[in-house]
Coordinates of all heavy atoms in Angstrom, one line a residue:
V1 N 97.4 107.0 108.6 CA 96.8 108.1 109.4 C 96.5 107.5 110.8 O 96.5 106.2 111.0 CB 95.5 108.6 108.8 CG1 95.8 109.3 107.5 CG2 94.5 107.5 108.5
H2 N 96.1 108.3 111.7 CA 95.6 107.8 113.0 C 94.2 108.4 113.3 O 94.0 109.6 113.0 CB 96.6 108.3 114.1 CG 96.4 107.7 115.5 ND1 97.0 106.5 115.8 CD2 95.7 108.1 116.6 CE1 96.6 106.1 117.0 NE2 95.9 107.1 117.5
Y3 N 93.3 107.6 113.8 CA 91.9 108.1 113.9 C 91.4 108.5 112.6 O 90.9 109.6 112.4 CB 91.8 109.2 115.0 CG 91.8 108.7 116.4 CD1 91.9 109.6 117.4 CD2 91.6 107.4 116.7 CE1 91.9 109.3 118.8 CE2 91.5 107.0 118.1 CZ 91.7 107.9 119.1 OH 91.7 107.5 120.4
S4 N 91.4 107.6 111.6 CA 91.0 108.0 110.3 C 89.5 108.4 110.2 O 89.1 109.1 109.3 CB 91.2 106.8 109.3 OG 90.5 105.6 109.7
H5 N 88.7 107.9 111.2 CA 87.3 108.2 111.2 C 87.0 109.7 111.3 O 86.1 110.3 110.8 CB 86.5 107.4 112.2 CG 86.9 107.6 113.6 ND1 88.3 107.7 114.0 CD2 86.2 107.6 114.8 CE1 88.3 107.9 115.3 NE2 87.1 107.8 115.8
R6 N 87.9 110.3 112.1 CA 87.8 111.8 112.3 C 88.3 112.6 111.1 O 87.7 113.6 110.7 CB 88.5 112.2 113.6 CG 88.0 111.6 114.8 CD 88.8 112.0 116.1 NE 88.2 111.3 117.3 CZ 87.3 111.9 118.1 NH1 86.8 113.0 117.8 NH2 86.9 111.2 119.1
I7 N 89.5 112.1 110.6 CA 90.1 112.8 109.4 C 89.2 112.7 108.2 O 89.0 113.7 107.5 CB 91.5 112.3 109.2 CG1 92.4 112.6 110.4 CG2 92.1 112.9 107.9 CD1 93.8 112.0 110.3
T8 N 88.7 111.6 107.9 CA 87.9 111.4 106.7 C 86.6 112.2 106.8 O 86.1 112.8 105.8 CB 87.5 109.9 106.4 OG1 86.9 109.4 107.6 CG2 88.7 109.1 106.1
D9 N 86.0 112.3 108.0 CA 84.8 113.1 108.2 C 85.1 114.6 108.0 O 84.4 115.3 107.4 CB 84.3 112.8 109.7 CG 83.0 113.6 109.9 OD1 81.9 113.1 109.5 OD2 83.1 114.7 110.6
Q10 N 86.2 115.0 108.5 CA 86.6 116.4 108.4 C 86.9 116.8 106.9 O 86.4 117.8 106.4 CB 87.9 116.6 109.2 CG 88.5 118.1 109.1 CD 89.8 118.2 109.8 OE1 90.6 117.3 109.7 NE2 90.0 119.3 110.5
L11 N 87.7 115.9 106.2 CA 88.0 116.2 104.8 C 86.8 116.2 103.9 O 86.6 117.0 103.0 CB 89.1 115.3 104.3 CG 90.5 115.5 104.9 CD1 91.4 114.4 104.4 CD2 91.0 116.9 104.5
F12 N 85.9 115.2 104.2 CA 84.7 115.1 103.3 C 83.7 116.2 103.5 O 83.3 116.8 102.5 CB 84.0 113.7 103.6 CG 82.9 113.5 102.6 CD1 83.2 113.0 101.3 CD2 81.6 113.7 102.9 CE1 82.2 112.8 100.4 CE2 80.6 113.5 102.0 CZ 80.9 113.0 100.7
Y13 N 83.4 116.5 104.8 CA 82.3 117.5 105.0 C 82.8 118.9 105.0 O 82.0 119.9 104.8 CB 81.6 117.2 106.3 CG 80.7 116.0 106.2 CD1 81.1 114.7 106.6 CD2 79.5 116.1 105.5 CE1 80.3 113.6 106.4 CE2 78.6 115.0 105.4 CZ 79.0 113.8 105.8 OH 78.2 112.7 105.6
K14 N 84.1 119.1 105.3 CA 84.6 120.5 105.3 C 85.3 120.9 104.0 O 85.4 122.1 103.6 CB 85.6 120.7 106.5 CG 85.0 121.1 107.8 CD 84.3 122.5 107.6 CE 83.7 123.0 109.0 NZ 82.9 124.2 108.8
H15 N 85.9 119.9 103.3 CA 86.7 120.2 102.1 C 86.3 119.4 100.9 O 87.0 119.5 99.8 CB 88.2 120.0 102.4 CG 88.7 120.8 103.6 ND1 89.0 122.1 103.5 CD2 88.8 120.4 104.9 CE1 89.4 122.6 104.7 NE2 89.3 121.5 105.6
Q16 N 85.2 118.6 101.0 CA 84.7 117.8 99.9 C 85.8 116.9 99.3 O 86.0 116.7 98.1 CB 84.1 118.7 98.7 CG 82.9 119.4 99.2 CD 83.2 120.6 100.1 OE1 84.0 121.5 99.8 NE2 82.5 120.6 101.3
I17 N 86.6 116.3 100.1 CA 87.7 115.4 99.8 C 87.4 114.0 100.3 O 87.1 113.9 101.5 CB 89.1 115.8 100.3 CG1 89.4 117.2 99.6 CG2 90.1 114.8 100.0 CD1 90.7 117.8 100.2
K18 N 87.3 113.0 99.5 CA 87.1 111.6 99.9 C 88.4 110.9 100.1 O 88.9 110.4 99.1 CB 86.1 110.9 99.0 CG 85.7 109.5 99.5 CD 84.9 108.7 98.5 CE 83.5 109.3 98.4 NZ 82.6 108.5 97.5
L19 N 88.9 110.9 101.3 CA 90.3 110.3 101.5 C 90.2 108.8 101.4 O 89.4 108.1 102.0 CB 90.7 110.7 102.9 CG 92.1 110.3 103.3 CD1 93.2 111.0 102.5 CD2 92.4 110.6 104.8
T20 N 91.0 108.2 100.5 CA 91.0 106.8 100.3 C 92.4 106.2 100.3 O 93.4 107.0 100.4 CB 90.4 106.4 98.9 OG1 91.1 107.1 97.9 CG2 88.9 106.8 98.9
G21 N 92.5 104.9 100.3 CA 93.8 104.3 100.4 C 94.4 104.4 101.7 O 95.6 104.7 101.9
L22 N 93.6 104.1 102.8 CA 94.0 104.4 104.1 C 94.6 103.1 104.8 O 94.2 102.0 104.6 CB 92.8 104.8 105.0 CG 92.1 106.1 104.5 CD1 90.8 106.3 105.3 CD2 93.0 107.3 104.7
S23 N 95.5 103.4 105.8 CA 96.0 102.4 106.7 C 96.1 103.1 108.0 O 96.9 104.1 108.2 CB 97.4 101.9 106.3 OG 97.7 100.8 107.1
D24 N 95.2 102.7 109.0 CA 95.1 103.4 110.2 C 95.9 102.8 111.4 O 95.8 101.7 111.7 CB 93.6 103.4 110.6 CG 93.2 104.4 111.7 OD1 94.0 104.5 112.7 OD2 92.2 105.1 111.6
T25 N 96.8 103.7 112.0 CA 97.7 103.2 113.0 C 96.9 102.9 114.3 O 97.3 102.0 115.1 CB 98.8 104.2 113.3 OG1 98.2 105.5 113.6 CG2 99.7 104.3 112.2
F26 N 95.7 103.5 114.5 CA 94.9 103.2 115.7 C 94.3 101.8 115.5 O 94.3 101.0 116.5 CB 93.8 104.2 115.9 CG 92.9 103.9 117.0 CD1 93.4 103.8 118.3 CD2 91.6 103.5 116.8 CE1 92.5 103.5 119.4 CE2 90.7 103.2 117.8 CZ 91.2 103.1 119.1
V27 N 93.9 101.5 114.3 CA 93.3 100.1 114.0 C 94.5 99.1 114.2 O 94.2 98.0 114.8 CB 92.8 100.0 112.6 CG1 92.4 98.6 112.3 CG2 91.6 101.0 112.5
A28 N 95.6 99.4 113.7 CA 96.8 98.5 113.9 C 97.1 98.3 115.3 O 97.4 97.1 115.8 CB 98.0 99.0 113.1
L29 N 97.0 99.3 116.1 CA 97.3 99.2 117.5 C 96.3 98.4 118.2 O 96.6 97.5 119.1 CB 97.4 100.6 118.2 CG 97.8 100.8 119.6 CD1 99.3 100.4 119.8 CD2 97.6 102.2 120.1
C30 N 95.0 98.6 117.9 CA 94.0 97.8 118.5 C 94.1 96.3 118.2 O 94.0 95.4 119.1 CB 92.6 98.2 118.0 SG 92.1 99.9 118.6
V31 N 94.5 96.0 116.9 CA 94.7 94.6 116.5 C 95.9 94.0 117.2 O 95.8 92.9 117.7 CB 94.8 94.5 115.0 CG1 95.2 93.1 114.6 CG2 93.5 94.9 114.3
A32 N 97.0 94.8 117.3 CA 98.2 94.3 117.9 C 98.0 94.0 119.4 O 98.5 93.0 119.9 CB 99.3 95.3 117.7
R33 N 97.2 94.8 120.1 CA 97.1 94.7 121.5 C 95.8 93.9 121.9 O 95.6 93.7 123.1 CB 97.1 96.0 122.1 CG 98.4 96.7 122.0 CD 98.4 98.1 122.8 NE 99.7 98.6 122.8 CZ 100.0 99.8 123.4 NH1 99.0 100.6 123.8 NH2 101.2 100.3 123.4
Q34 N 94.9 93.7 120.9 CA 93.7 93.1 121.2 C 92.9 93.9 122.2 O 92.3 93.4 123.2 CB 93.8 91.6 121.7 CG 94.4 90.7 120.6 CD 93.5 90.5 119.4 OE1 92.5 89.8 119.6 NE2 93.9 91.0 118.3
D35 N 92.9 95.2 122.0 CA 92.3 96.2 122.9 C 91.9 97.4 122.2 O 92.6 97.9 121.3 CB 93.3 96.6 124.0 CG 92.8 97.6 125.0 OD1 91.7 97.4 125.5 OD2 93.5 98.6 125.1
K36 N 90.7 97.9 122.5 CA 90.1 99.0 121.7 C 90.0 100.3 122.6 O 89.1 101.1 122.3 CB 88.7 98.6 121.1 CG 88.8 97.5 120.0 CD 87.5 97.3 119.3 CE 86.5 96.6 120.2 NZ 85.3 96.2 119.5
S37 N 90.8 100.4 123.5 CA 90.8 101.7 124.3 C 91.3 102.9 123.5 O 92.1 102.7 122.6 CB 91.7 101.5 125.5 OG 91.3 100.5 126.4
A38 N 90.7 104.0 123.8 CA 91.1 105.2 123.1 C 92.6 105.5 123.3 O 93.1 105.3 124.4 CB 90.2 106.4 123.6
C39 N 93.2 106.0 122.3 CA 94.6 106.3 122.3 C 95.0 107.3 121.3 O 94.9 107.1 120.1 CB 95.4 105.0 122.1 SG 97.2 105.2 122.5
S40 N 95.4 108.5 121.7 CA 95.7 109.6 120.7 C 97.1 109.2 120.1 O 97.8 108.3 120.5 CB 95.9 110.9 121.5 OG 97.0 110.9 122.3
L41 N 97.4 109.9 119.0 CA 98.6 109.6 118.3 C 99.9 109.8 119.1 O 100.7 108.9 119.2 CB 98.7 110.5 117.0 CG 100.0 110.3 116.2 CD1 100.2 108.9 115.7 CD2 100.0 111.3 115.0
P42 N 100.0 110.9 119.9 CA 101.2 111.0 120.7 C 101.3 109.9 121.8 O 102.4 109.4 122.0 CB 101.0 112.4 121.4 CG 100.2 113.2 120.4 CD 99.2 112.2 119.8
E43 N 100.1 109.5 122.3 CA 100.1 108.5 123.3 C 100.5 107.1 122.7 O 101.3 106.4 123.3 CB 98.7 108.3 123.9 CG 98.3 109.4 124.8 CD 96.8 109.3 125.2 OE1 96.0 108.7 124.5 OE2 96.5 109.8 126.3
A44 N 100.0 106.9 121.5 CA 100.4 105.6 120.8 C 101.9 105.6 120.5 O 102.5 104.6 120.7 CB 99.6 105.5 119.5
I45 N 102.4 106.7 119.9 CA 103.8 106.7 119.6 C 104.7 106.5 120.9 O 105.7 105.8 120.9 CB 104.2 108.0 118.9 CG1 103.5 108.0 117.5 CG2 105.7 108.2 118.8 CD1 103.7 109.4 116.8
S46 N 104.3 107.2 121.9 CA 105.0 107.2 123.2 C 105.1 105.7 123.7 O 106.2 105.2 124.1 CB 104.4 108.1 124.2 OG 105.0 107.9 125.5

């Protein structure tokens, strides 16, 4: 997923689903670039 903090919050509080087994592409991007600037999924893919 991308921006898992938003998706997990949405699924838990709106649909009572605790999303687990996550691997976040935004976290991977931050680690790879050593930079924590905001980056949407389309921006990251581009």
Side-chain angles (χ1 to χ4, degrees):
V1 297
H2 193 85
Y3 278 167
S4 60
H5 60 323
R6 295 177 184 271
I7 296 174
T8 53
D9 183 79
Q10 178 186 38
L11 289 175
F12 187 80
Y13 286 100
K14 272 297 185 186
H15 303 280
Q16 294 73 55
I17 296 173
K18 186 183 287 187
L19 187 65
T20 56
L22 298 172
S23 189
D24 194 313
T25 52
F26 176 67
V27 173
L29 187 65
C30 291
V31 172
R33 293 182 171 177
Q34 295 294 289
D35 176 52
K36 294 188 287 187
S37 299
C39 189
S40 69
L41 178 58
E43 289 173 333
I45 290 172
S46 173

